[in-house]
């Protein structure tokens, strides 16, 4: 069984303030350890479920040399390979080879989610809202569509409770979710102690991988329209002549293609 771990930092227990997620900041090294150990918990659960190949992809943009490079290699479970990307959604080789299931670790809620800890949709982007064929999505939806494009279902999501609610609404109630903290606001949360959070993630991963058919791969639909509402007019200005992209208002574009992957690559590059 081949398992893909897609991870982010904001949804990890003990990570609550934005400064904890920035490379080189005083508390970043502690966050990296917490992050790596939650990934390890998912790896242990996957191994217990029979995984034979496990690859983790860091999706956290920490800046500088830490960009998509936040986990600590020497602490990582030896059963897990890891990918350091240069750009978000760049790495697809493992998915293209055929992956049985994905586990999402450390997820956060989409931009504008009340009580979603550090809620946003892709740091560094000036998006306000993002829709796939009319369905409002955040980073969980983007990564689920990336996996689904190659037939890989997402079977578990961990993060704060708002991220877990968002994931179940999008992917279905059979999805295993592990809430490691309760959001109280954008920079505040009631956190589960890390040791207990890791035990919950390990158990969740093991249970999720016991039934590979519990959740269908997420496919936004074909043909696909990706509608993006920006916070300002700069990006629509730059994209207005891109093939397949239509500017429909001052701050909004629609990218249209036969499938999600082509629609995504037309504007996100």
């Amino acid at each position: 069984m081949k398992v893909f771990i897609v991870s982010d930092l904001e949804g990890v227990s003990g990570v609550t303030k934005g400064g904890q997620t920035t490379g080189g900041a005083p508390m970043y090294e502690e966050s990296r350890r917490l992050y790596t150990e939650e990934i390890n918990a998912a790896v242990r659960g996957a191994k217990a479920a029979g995984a034979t190949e496990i690859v983790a992809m860091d999706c956290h943009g920490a800046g500088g040399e830490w960009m998509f490079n936040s986990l600590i290699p020497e602490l990582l479970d030896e059963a897990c390979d890891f990918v350091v990307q240069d750009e978000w959604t760049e790495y697809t080789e493992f998915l293209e080879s055929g992956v049985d299931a994905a586990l999402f670790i450390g997820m956060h809620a989409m931009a504008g989610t009340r009580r979603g800890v550090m809620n946003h949709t892709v740091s560094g982007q000036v998006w306000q809202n993002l829709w796939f064929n009319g369905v409002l999505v955040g980073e969980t939806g983007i990564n689920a569509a990336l996996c689904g494009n190659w037939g890989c279902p997402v079977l578990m999501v961990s993060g704060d409770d708002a991220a877990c609610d968002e994931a179940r609404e999008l992917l279905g109630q059979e999805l295993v979710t592990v809430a490691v903290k309760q959001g109280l606001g954008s920079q505040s949360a009631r956190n589960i102690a890390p040791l207990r959070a890791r035990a919950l993630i390990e158990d969740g991963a093991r249970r999720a991988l016991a039934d590979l058919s519990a959740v269908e791969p997420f496919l936004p639909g074909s043909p696909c329209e990706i509608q993006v509402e920006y916070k300002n007019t700069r990006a629509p200005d730059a994209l207005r002549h891109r093939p397949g992209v239509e500017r429909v208002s001052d701050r909004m574009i629609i990218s249209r293609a036969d499938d999600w992957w082509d629609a995504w690559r037309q504007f996100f590059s």
Side-chain angles (χ1 to χ4, degrees):
M1 177 170 53
K2 298 168 69 172
V3 176
F4 194 30
I5 296 177
V6 176
S7 59
D8 206 349
L9 185 55
E10 287 90 351
V12 170
S13 176
V15 179
T16 308
K17 305 294 185 182
Q20 292 177 270
T21 69
T22 302
M27 294 184 69
Y28 173 69
E29 288 302 317
E30 178 188 42
S31 299
R32 293 182 73 194
R33 291 193 295 274
L34 294 170
Y35 181 45
T36 305
E37 293 299 350
E38 287 201 2
I39 294 171
N40 283 341
V43 172
R44 290 193 297 271
K47 289 192 296 184
T52 55
E53 185 176 2
I54 306 170
V55 177
M57 179 175 71
D58 180 1
C59 290
H60 179 64
E65 60 266 42
W66 301 281
M67 203 69 172
F68 311 121
N69 195 25
S70 286
L71 63 84
I72 302 175
E74 66 181 3
L75 295 183
L76 188 65
D77 190 300
E78 64 181 1
C80 184
D81 291 350
F82 66 101
V83 171
V84 179
Q85 303 183 96
D86 188 42
E87 297 180 357
W88 211 65
T89 69
E90 171 192 16
Y91 177 71
T92 61
E93 182 179 358
F94 190 44
L95 289 168
E96 291 174 39
S97 73
V99 176
D100 296 290
L103 308 173
F104 287 4
I105 302 299
M107 296 294 109
H108 57 79
M110 70 177 75
T113 301
R114 185 178 182 182
R115 296 190 176 183
V117 181
M118 288 176 279
N119 64 86
H120 66 277
T121 303
V122 187
S123 60
Q125 299 297 319
V126 288
W127 297 337
Q128 182 65 39
N129 289 300
L130 183 71
W131 295 265
F132 296 163
N133 278 355
V135 177
L136 185 66
V137 298
E139 291 182 26
T140 294
I142 299 169
N143 283 312
L146 181 70
C147 292
N149 189 68
W150 282 279
C152 174
V154 180
L155 298 185
M156 187 188 83
V157 172
S158 75
D160 71 355
D161 55 340
C164 290
D165 290 346
E166 178 183 317
R168 283 194 305 273
E169 182 176 352
L170 180 70
L171 302 175
Q173 295 303 309
E174 297 303 313
L175 176 74
V176 174
T177 57
V178 179
V180 299
K181 57 190 172 186
Q182 176 190 359
L184 304 175
S186 64
Q187 298 277 311
S188 57
R190 175 175 171 170
N191 295 270
I192 292 177
L195 288 177
R196 185 155 54 95
R198 295 165 198 164
L200 292 171
I201 290 171
E202 180 177 348
D203 178 68
R206 179 186 53 78
R207 288 188 291 108
L209 294 171
D211 183 0
L212 299 179
S213 63
V215 181
E216 292 291 323
F218 177 58
L219 297 170
S222 182
C224 185
E225 288 189 355
I226 298 179
Q227 185 174 352
V228 189
E229 180 187 16
Y230 292 91
K231 296 176 182 177
N232 57 52
T233 61
R234 184 176 182 182
D237 284 345
L239 291 166
R240 68 188 185 279
H241 298 309
R242 186 78 61 87
V245 176
E246 179 187 0
R247 186 177 192 171
V248 294
S249 71
D250 292 343
R251 295 185 295 108
M252 190 173 294
I253 61 98
I254 295 179
S255 176
R256 298 182 177 91
D258 289 338
D259 58 33
W260 175 83
W261 184 231
D262 286 340
W264 177 257
R265 289 186 296 173
Q266 281 175 172
F267 85 96
F268 188 78
S269 60

